[in-house]
Amino acid sequence: MPGAALAIVAGRGSLPRLLVEECLRRGRTYWIVRLPGVSLDWAEGHPSIPAEFEKPGRLFKALRSAGVGDVTFAGGIRRPELNPLRFDFKMLALAPKVLAGLRAGDDRTLRVVAEIFEAEGLRLVGAHELLTDLLAPEAVLTRVKPGAGDREDADRARAIVDALGRADVGQTAVVAQGLCLGIESIQGTDAMLGFVAKTARDLRPDPSGARGVMHKAPKPGQDWRIDLPAIGPDTARAAVEAGLAGIVVQAGGVLLLDRAEIVKICDAEGLFLWGRSAGA
C-alpha cells in the first residue's frame, strides 16, 4: 500500500533495528510492535505499539488508528504461553485456529498468523523486500574457500536440511565427514552450534579430516514474507566455537545481518562463508 505506515513486529536480534533505520532513511512512517518478553533497548524514543498475544483485537484497533497498511515480521519470536483467561473477543473467535497452529510446526503456525493479519486488511511485506541488500549473494565471500571434503559435507547437510524443512522442523544442519553432528529444532541455530561445540571432537572419525560445515536454507514452500532465515555475527562466532570449517547459506534465501562483520570474523578465524545457489 503506497504511503501506508509500516508496522514492524519486532523480535530478537538486529533485523528490527535495521528496518527502522531503513524507514528513517526513506522517510517512511513506521511503528514498532513491542511483544512481551522481547527486550528492545535500542527502541526507546521510537513510535511503538504494545502488543499482547491474548489481545489481538486491541492490536488491530491500534494499527488501524496509526494508519498502518503494511506489516513486516522481523527477528526471533518464541512461541507464546497463552492464558485463556486473558483472551479478548477477537482471540476467543480465533482460538481454535491459533491453538491448532501452535500444535503444528513453525511454518504452519506462521501461516496461521499471516492469514489472521491479512483477514484484517493488512499487507504482509517480507523483510527481504525492504532490505534487499541483506540477501546472501551467490559467491564465496571469504578468503578461505571450501575444499572437496567441505563440498561433500555441504551436499550432505543440504539434503538433511531439505528433509527437515519438508517435516517443518528446522532450517539448519551441521555435517562433518559425512556425519550429521547437529540439526536445528525449536531451540534455534546458536543452541545447535553450542551442542556441536560440546560434542563434535568426540564424534568426528578422523581428527585430521574435514572439520564440518553448517548449511542454512529456507524450508520448501516457506512463506518468506513472515519468516526468512538469517545469520549474524553471533552465528559466525558460534561456528568458530564449534570448530567448523565454514558456513553455507542458500544464495538469495538467507539474510546476512552485518555481512561485513560476519566476513571479518570468518576471515580472522579461517572459516569460509559460501552463498550457494539452490541448484548448485
Side-chain angles (χ1 to χ4, degrees):
M1 298 179 183
L6 174 70
I8 301 168
V9 181
R12 304 181 308 278
S14 61
L15 185 55
R17 176 181 56 79
L18 293 173
L19 286 163
V20 166
E21 292 172 357
E22 181 65 11
C23 286
L24 290 171
R25 188 184 70 80
R26 296 186 185 186
R28 181 171 189 181
T29 302
Y30 66 91
W31 292 83
I32 301 168
V33 176
R34 306 189 68 143
L35 300 172
V38 178
S39 176
L40 301 174
D41 296 340
W42 55 268
E44 296 304 319
H46 292 276
S48 64
I49 297 172
E52 297 179 71
F53 294 114
E54 293 91 348
K55 302 185 183 299
R58 180 185 298 174
L59 172 61
F60 293 135
K61 181 178 179 180
L63 293 176
R64 284 191 292 271
S65 296
V68 168
D70 295 343
V71 177
T72 189
F73 288 76
I77 300 173
R78 297 190 187 281
R79 288 180 173 231
E81 295 182 6
L82 298 175
N83 180 356
L85 296 178
R86 303 189 68 249
F87 285 4
D88 65 10
F89 288 118
K90 172 66 73 173
M91 189 60 174
L92 286 171
L94 295 172
K97 176 185 287 190
V98 171
L99 295 176
L102 288 172
R103 288 192 293 268
D106 287 345
D107 194 51
R108 178 55 192 154
T109 301
L110 292 171
R111 286 183 183 277
V112 168
V113 172
E115 292 168 4
I116 291 170
F117 274 76
E118 288 178 324
E120 295 295 321
L122 297 163
R123 185 173 76 102
L124 295 183
V125 181
H128 64 290
E129 299 176 66
L130 301 168
L131 296 168
T132 56
D133 59 332
L134 293 187
L135 286 171
E138 185 178 350
V140 178
L141 301 174
T142 47
R143 291 194 294 267
V144 173
K145 311 302 179 187
D150 299 323
R151 290 177 178 272
E152 291 176 3
D153 284 342
D155 288 342
R156 172 81 169 136
R158 180 165 65 181
I160 292 170
V161 169
D162 285 346
L164 288 174
R166 286 193 294 273
D168 196 7
V169 173
Q171 303 167 319
T172 316
V174 173
V175 169
Q177 300 170 43
L179 298 178
C180 182
L181 302 185
I183 58 174
E184 179 191 43
S185 58
I186 196 169
Q187 290 84 0
T189 302
D190 291 350
M192 176 202 67
L193 288 171
F195 171 80
V196 173
K198 293 177 182 178
T199 61
R201 290 180 180 85
D202 297 328
L203 295 177
R204 292 189 184 99
D206 179 3
S208 65
R211 299 184 352 244
V213 171
M214 184 191 99
H215 177 83
K216 193 174 190 74
K219 299 173 186 175
Q222 183 173 327
D223 189 341
W224 289 19
R225 299 172 305 162
I226 198 167
D227 182 30
L228 193 64
I231 67 167
D234 286 345
T235 304
R237 295 186 189 99
V240 171
E241 290 298 315
L244 301 185
I247 299 169
V248 182
V249 296
Q250 181 176 310
V254 175
L255 298 169
L256 301 180
L257 307 180
D258 198 344
R259 182 195 306 184
E261 183 65 17
I262 297 171
V263 171
K264 180 180 177 182
I265 293 167
C266 289
D267 278 340
E269 300 293 340
L271 276 69
F272 62 81
L273 175 62
W274 179 13
R276 188 182 189 187
S277 168

